[in-house]
């Protein structure tokens, strides 16, 4: 099973930028579809972005054009570059990994491994 560790969260003003990183260990990173989810206070976990094994990307409408997901297989790391941040982006952000195929990868149920989460707070 792959192990995931996020880093890069923090406090930022509205309109600012942050980059989250998720380092993987334990299995061949390139065989995984990687995703980012977030859980705002008092709400359920929601899809943010995912990147396929061949770096095809998909985004939630709420972050499209502002967030960019990327992966570096040599470093076993997936990134989430977040720009033009808004207070409603405040959440705990989780990275996730999946070895499955043929799914949308927009549901938390599509993933089998999760990081511990990174807090992102956007002040107005």
């Amino acid at each position: 099973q792959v192990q995931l560790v996020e880093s890069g969260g923090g406090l930022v003003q509205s309109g600012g930028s942050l980059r989250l990183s998720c380092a993987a260990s334990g299995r061949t990173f390139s065989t995984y579809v990687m995703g980012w989810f977030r859980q705002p206070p008092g709400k359920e976990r929601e899809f943010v972005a995912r990147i396929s094994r061949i770096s095809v990307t998909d985004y939630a409408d709420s972050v499209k054009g502002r967030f960019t997901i990327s992966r570096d297989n040599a470093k076993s790391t997936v990134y989430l570059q977040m720009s033009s941040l808004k207070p409603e982006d405040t959440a705990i952000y989780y990275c996730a990994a999946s070895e499955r195929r043929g799914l949308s990868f927009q549901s938390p149920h599509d993933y089998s491994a999760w990081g511990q989460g990174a807090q992102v707070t956007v002040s107005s």
Side-chain angles (χ1 to χ4, degrees):
Q1 182 68 291
V2 66
Q3 289 81 46
L4 304 173
V5 178
E6 298 102 338
S7 61
L11 174 64
V12 64
Q13 288 189 330
S14 182
S17 298
L18 276 177
R19 188 177 80 159
L20 300 179
S21 301
C22 173
S25 61
R27 294 287 297 272
T28 305
F29 179 72
S30 60
T31 65
Y32 288 91
V33 173
M34 300 299 298
W36 285 98
F37 287 76
R38 66 187 181 186
Q39 189 161 11
K43 297 185 179 181
E44 294 190 351
R45 196 167 298 191
E46 63 185 27
F47 169 74
V48 175
R50 63 93 170 160
I51 186 165
S52 75
R53 297 170 180 86
I54 56 171
S55 295
V56 174
T57 59
D58 186 26
Y59 298 91
D61 288 343
S62 59
V63 307
K64 205 169 291 184
R66 300 188 299 121
F67 290 12
T68 302
I69 187 172
S70 61
R71 66 190 298 160
D72 185 337
N73 288 341
K75 296 183 178 179
S76 298
T77 301
V78 63
Y79 304 97
L80 186 68
Q81 177 67 48
M82 304 182 291
S83 303
S84 302
L85 283 161
K86 306 174 181 180
E88 51 263 43
D89 294 318
T90 295
I92 300 174
Y93 283 71
Y94 298 89
C95 69
S98 177
E99 291 185 287
R100 301 174 71 182
R101 296 181 182 270
L103 303 174
S104 70
F105 298 102
Q106 294 186 357
S107 168
H109 300 293
D110 295 341
Y111 296 82
S112 58
W114 293 85
Q116 82 286 357
Q119 177 69 50
V120 171
T121 303
V122 184
S123 63
S124 57

